[in-house]
Short mmCIF file of all heavy atoms in Angstrom, two decimals:
data_model
loop_
_atom_site.label_atom_id
_atom_site.label_comp_id
_atom_site.label_asym_id
_atom_site.label_seq_id
_atom_site.Cartn_x
_atom_site.Cartn_y
_atom_site.Cartn_z
N MET A 1 0.83 -1.20 0.00
CA MET A 1 0.00 0.00 0.00
C MET A 1 0.86 1.25 0.00
O MET A 1 2.01 1.22 0.43
CB MET A 1 -0.92 0.03 1.25
CG MET A 1 -0.18 0.25 2.57
SD MET A 1 -1.30 0.53 4.00
CE MET A 1 -1.67 2.28 3.87
N CYS A 3 -0.13 5.45 0.76
CA CYS A 3 -1.14 6.50 0.88
C CYS A 3 -0.50 7.72 1.53
O CYS A 3 0.23 7.60 2.52
CB CYS A 3 -2.31 5.99 1.73
SG CYS A 3 -3.57 7.25 2.04
N TYR A 4 -0.73 8.88 0.96
CA TYR A 4 -0.22 10.11 1.59
C TYR A 4 -1.28 11.23 1.56
O TYR A 4 -0.97 12.38 1.43
CB TYR A 4 1.12 10.53 1.02
CG TYR A 4 1.25 10.90 -0.46
CD1 TYR A 4 2.48 11.32 -0.96
CD2 TYR A 4 0.18 10.87 -1.35
CE1 TYR A 4 2.65 11.69 -2.28
CE2 TYR A 4 0.32 11.22 -2.67
CZ TYR A 4 1.56 11.63 -3.13
OH TYR A 4 1.71 11.99 -4.45
N GLN A 5 -2.52 10.81 1.69
CA GLN A 5 -3.58 11.81 1.50
C GLN A 5 -3.87 12.67 2.72
O GLN A 5 -4.57 13.67 2.60
CB GLN A 5 -4.86 11.13 1.00
CG GLN A 5 -5.57 10.22 2.00
CD GLN A 5 -6.92 9.74 1.47
OE1 GLN A 5 -7.38 10.18 0.43
NE2 GLN A 5 -7.58 8.86 2.20
N CYS A 6 -3.40 12.30 3.91
CA CYS A 6 -3.72 13.15 5.07
C CYS A 6 -2.47 13.69 5.73
O CYS A 6 -1.35 13.32 5.39
CB CYS A 6 -4.61 12.39 6.05
SG CYS A 6 -3.69 11.38 7.22
N GLU A 8 -1.31 13.11 8.61
CA GLU A 8 -0.56 12.20 9.47
C GLU A 8 0.21 11.13 8.69
O GLU A 8 0.66 10.15 9.27
CB GLU A 8 -1.51 11.58 10.51
CG GLU A 8 -1.98 12.64 11.51
CD GLU A 8 -2.83 12.14 12.67
OE1 GLU A 8 -3.21 10.95 12.68
OE2 GLU A 8 -3.12 12.95 13.55
N ALA A 9 0.37 11.33 7.39
CA ALA A 9 1.14 10.40 6.56
C ALA A 9 2.46 10.06 7.26
O ALA A 9 3.18 10.96 7.70
CB ALA A 9 1.40 11.03 5.20
N ALA A 10 2.77 8.78 7.36
CA ALA A 10 3.93 8.33 8.14
C ALA A 10 5.21 9.04 7.71
O ALA A 10 5.52 9.14 6.53
CB ALA A 10 4.08 6.82 8.00
N CYS A 15 2.17 6.49 4.15
CA CYS A 15 2.05 5.24 4.89
C CYS A 15 2.22 4.10 3.90
O CYS A 15 1.56 4.07 2.86
CB CYS A 15 0.67 5.15 5.55
SG CYS A 15 0.38 6.52 6.70
N GLY A 19 -1.65 2.30 7.73
CA GLY A 19 -1.91 3.72 7.92
C GLY A 19 -1.79 4.13 9.38
O GLY A 19 -2.18 3.37 10.26
N VAL A 20 -1.28 5.32 9.61
CA VAL A 20 -1.28 5.88 10.97
C VAL A 20 -2.74 5.99 11.44
O VAL A 20 -3.05 5.86 12.61
CB VAL A 20 -0.59 7.28 10.96
CG1 VAL A 20 -0.71 7.96 12.31
CG2 VAL A 20 0.87 7.14 10.56
N CYS A 21 -3.65 6.15 10.49
CA CYS A 21 -5.08 6.24 10.79
C CYS A 21 -5.66 4.89 11.19
O CYS A 21 -6.80 4.81 11.64
CB CYS A 21 -5.84 6.77 9.58
SG CYS A 21 -5.65 5.73 8.12
N LYS A 23 -5.82 2.32 8.98
CA LYS A 23 -6.25 1.60 7.78
C LYS A 23 -5.19 0.57 7.41
O LYS A 23 -4.00 0.89 7.37
CB LYS A 23 -6.41 2.69 6.72
CG LYS A 23 -6.40 2.37 5.33
CD LYS A 23 -6.91 3.61 4.59
CE LYS A 23 -5.86 4.23 3.68
NZ LYS A 23 -6.33 5.44 3.01
N THR A 71 -10.18 10.08 4.52
CA THR A 71 -9.55 9.56 5.74
C THR A 71 -10.55 9.38 6.88
O THR A 71 -11.35 10.29 7.14
CB THR A 71 -8.43 10.53 6.19
OG1 THR A 71 -7.49 10.64 5.13
CG2 THR A 71 -7.72 10.01 7.45
FE1 LIG B 2 -1.66 7.31 6.23
FE2 LIG B 2 -3.37 9.35 6.30
FE3 LIG B 2 -3.42 7.63 4.29
FE4 LIG B 2 -4.25 6.91 6.74
S1 LIG B 2 -5.17 8.44 5.36
S2 LIG B 2 -2.97 5.71 5.37
S3 LIG B 2 -2.78 8.06 8.02
S4 LIG B 2 -1.76 9.04 4.79
#
Side-chain angles (χ1 to χ4, degrees):
M1 70 171 277
C3 176
Y4 62 178
Q5 69 173 353
C6 86
E8 292 185 353
C15 300
V20 174
C21 59
K23 160 167 116 182
T71 302

